[in-house]
Amino acid sequence: MNEKTYLKWYNKIGYGSGDIAGNVVYAFLSSFVMIYLTDTVGLKAGIIGTLMMVSKMFDGFTDIFFGSMIDKTHSKMGKARPWMLWAYIGCAFLIGAIFSIPADMEATAQYAWFFVAYTALNAVFYTANNIAYSALTALITRNGSERVQLGSIRFMFAFGTSMLIQAITVDAVQMFGGGAAGWRTVAIIYAIIGLLINTISTLSVKELPDEVSEKPEENVSAAPAPSPKYTLKDAAKLLLSNKYYLIICAVYILTQIFTATLNMGVFFTTYILGDPSLLGAFSVAINIPLIIGLLFTPMLVKKLGGMYRLNLWGYALSVGGRAMVIAAGYMGNLPLMLIFSAIASLGMSPLQGDLNALIASCSEYTFLKDKKRIDGTMYSCTSLGVKIGGGIGTALAGWLLEASGYIGGASVQPSSCISMLYFMYLWIPAIINFVIMLLLSRLKVEEANETLKRQSVN
């Protein structure tokens, strides 16, 4: 039996474009905030890293809170779309504020300015927007193939946006005068672009009626379930009892630490390769294969009959690729570094494309096992992973830079810092990918759902 389809091509493109808005905030912030704060504002990398880590303490509470609020929302726009639409206004304002720290402030006030703006952006507005955006995957279609397509399309936009931002930002800052003024102007431009595209994305899709969304996946013989009443504590218990959800949370956090570490590439290209503009070459080598892989992910998932083997085999390839990047890096062979970075990224692409579909499968596992639908709360792991993983990665980079004796704005760094940059950019991503591969070997949620479905029929 063919699954019912819910979306037109323009709905899929419109939904996917929402990750352009997300990444003009996230990619810009994660790739450049550290070097802006250290080399332009003159703050200490170690203190910045500590502030980022403290900020993340607030995020663990707000992720589950906003996920629960989305589940309880009932409006003409649906559950998730109102949160996605209005929260981005705060995102746009605060990304501009972070890159507009007054130069004439005392250092303590500058640290406070950054901490307040960074925390408000991550813990409140980006959380609400990102959880809502991710939850829409489960709220606008019940078709598993369409969910994989949505994941592939959104991440093609995400990686394309990240690649573009990493490729043009350094030159754009210089074009607008360099220094604090250049960073502020670029941040404002990105904020306006993100606000416009987020609005278009929100209005390009519609959520399914409750009577359609509050029932099992297609081809499951079960009556529609009423929307249950549950507390935040109940939702937390449901999440913690879902082992596949916990695995995906861990994968999400590790993936974002991986990304945050690679985003420190501007330090590697500046102080080891001697040319900060080479960040664009690495960005192309990493993101183009990801985009190509995403194009084929829906077809490969269908051909292999699921996501499990494709994700596991992909990450095995990625681990091998990252190992060769290490070897090429110590050889000083830039072309080989780019080639093996591309191979590693190609292996990572299937998981990036089907991760939202995996979360939907986790949500379905909770419904089939406990008869409760908590899509918004379940998708809180995406925002939780993005912020905690990204925060840990960026904070770790700050601590390691400080420990290595990094000197902000210096033309030459001490040998201890050079050794640390090799470790940060080459070794940490390889180790993380190996751990993710081990976790993926345990992520058999599709098989578990099929077992529960057969039991419900019998």
Side-chain angles (χ1 to χ4, degrees):
M1 179 185 294
N2 292 326
E3 287 187 273
K4 178 182 177 181
T5 59
Y6 296 84
L7 304 172
K8 303 294 185 181
W9 68 267
Y10 49 84
N11 300 128
K12 299 173 186 177
I13 297 297
Y15 171 81
S17 69
D19 245 326
I20 297 176
N23 275 276
V24 295
V25 169
Y26 178 72
F28 178 50
L29 187 67
S30 59
S31 295
F32 297 106
V33 70
M34 183 66 75
I35 202 164
Y36 160 73
L37 293 173
T38 56
D39 289 18
T40 300
V41 182
L43 303 181
K44 297 290 186 180
I47 298 176
I48 297 166
T50 301
L51 291 176
M52 288 180 172
M53 182 58 64
V54 172
S55 175
K56 295 306 161 189
M57 295 180 182
F58 297 97
D59 293 352
F61 298 101
T62 59
D63 281 280
I64 304 301
F65 170 76
F66 281 114
S68 177
M69 290 299 294
I70 289 169
D71 286 330
K72 299 176 186 297
T73 297
H74 298 279
S75 72
K76 292 181 179 179
M77 290 184 67
K79 294 175 176 290
R81 290 201 304 154
W83 294 94
M84 178 180 170
L85 180 65
W86 300 114
Y88 199 89
I89 296 174
C91 293
F93 173 78
L94 288 166
I95 193 65
I98 289 172
F99 284 88
S100 301
I101 298 177
D104 56 355
M105 273 186 171
E106 293 184 355
T108 302
Q110 290 175 326
Y111 285 120
W113 179 297
F114 166 71
F115 179 75
V116 171
Y118 183 82
T119 302
L121 172 62
N122 283 281
V124 181
F125 297 103
Y126 187 82
T127 295
N129 173 267
N130 191 256
I131 292 177
Y133 177 58
S134 297
L136 280 177
T137 302
L139 296 173
I140 61 178
T141 178
R142 306 298 294 158
N143 184 300
S145 295
E146 285 186 332
R147 286 175 174 173
V148 174
Q149 291 171 7
L150 289 176
S152 293
I153 292 170
R154 69 169 287 192
F155 282 110
M156 281 190 281
F157 278 113
F159 295 133
T161 304
S162 179
M163 177 180 65
L164 186 61
I165 285 176
Q166 290 177 350
I168 70 172
T169 296
V170 172
D171 290 336
V173 169
Q174 295 304 315
M175 183 178 70
F176 288 109
W183 284 110
R184 181 173 60 251
T185 302
V186 170
I188 292 171
I189 292 172
Y190 287 163
I192 293 172
I193 292 172
L195 188 60
L196 292 174
I197 294 178
N198 182 78
T199 302
I200 293 171
S201 179
T202 305
L203 300 178
S204 68
V205 294
K206 290 184 178 180
E207 297 179 28
L208 299 173
D210 287 347
E211 60 269 20
V212 176
S213 63
E214 292 177 350
K215 65 180 181 180
E217 301 292 336
E218 306 290 346
N219 303 326
V220 180
S221 299
S227 180
K229 302 282 187 182
Y230 65 91
T231 66
L232 193 59
K233 182 179 179 180
D234 295 330
K237 288 181 179 179
L238 290 171
L239 295 180
L240 293 175
S241 68
N242 187 329
K243 61 182 178 181
Y244 302 110
Y245 169 84
L246 298 179
I247 291 174
I248 286 185
C249 277
V251 168
Y252 237 109
I253 291 171
L254 288 170
T255 299
Q256 294 303 317
I257 295 175
F258 172 94
T259 302
T261 305
L262 282 189
N263 284 339
M264 294 299 105
V266 66
F267 290 92
F268 189 87
T269 57
T270 298
Y271 296 108
I272 292 180
L273 300 181
D275 184 359
S277 66
L278 284 175
L279 179 66
F282 277 95
S283 182
V284 170
I286 291 169
N287 287 289
I288 291 296
L290 283 170
I291 294 171
I292 293 173
L294 289 171
L295 288 171
F296 292 97
T297 294
M299 178 189 69
L300 291 173
V301 169
K302 187 174 182 180
K303 184 174 182 179
L304 293 175
M307 297 173 275
Y308 174 75
R309 286 186 295 169
L310 179 60
N311 291 333
L312 187 58
W313 293 348
Y315 257 80
L317 175 64
S318 181
V319 170
R322 293 309 309 180
M324 296 308 296
V325 172
I326 294 174
Y330 281 102
M331 290 167 55
N333 193 317
L334 179 60
L336 283 181
M337 287 188 70
L338 295 173
I339 290 170
F340 287 118
S341 292
I343 291 172
S345 291
L346 185 64
M348 293 173 59
S349 59
L351 181 65
Q352 303 303 316
D354 62 35
L355 193 50
N356 263 20
L358 279 173
I359 299 170
S361 294
C362 284
S363 182
E364 194 65 17
Y365 177 80
T366 293
F367 178 79
L368 291 169
K369 185 168 68 75
D370 300 308
K371 308 305 178 187
K372 293 183 179 179
R373 177 73 64 190
I374 54 169
D375 295 306
T377 309
M378 186 70 69
Y379 274 89
S380 66
C381 80
T382 63
S383 180
L384 183 67
V386 166
K387 293 184 305 176
I388 291 182
I392 291 174
T394 307
L396 180 64
W399 295 334
L400 293 177
L401 284 174
E402 188 75 16
S404 72
Y406 174 77
I407 304 170
S411 57
V412 178
Q413 297 295 335
S415 59
S416 58
C417 179
I418 298 300
S419 297
M420 183 63 76
L421 289 175
Y422 274 104
F423 176 71
M424 289 167 56
Y425 193 72
L426 300 181
W427 283 96
I428 292 179
I431 294 169
I432 289 175
N433 271 8
F434 178 74
V435 176
I436 291 175
M437 182 183 70
L438 296 180
L439 289 171
L440 291 177
S441 70
R442 310 295 298 174
L443 191 56
K444 299 182 178 180
V445 62
E446 296 164 290
E447 181 181 317
N449 283 350
E450 289 302 317
T451 299
L452 290 173
K453 290 174 184 178
R454 286 193 298 269
Q455 292 174 352
S456 68
V457 171
N458 296 331

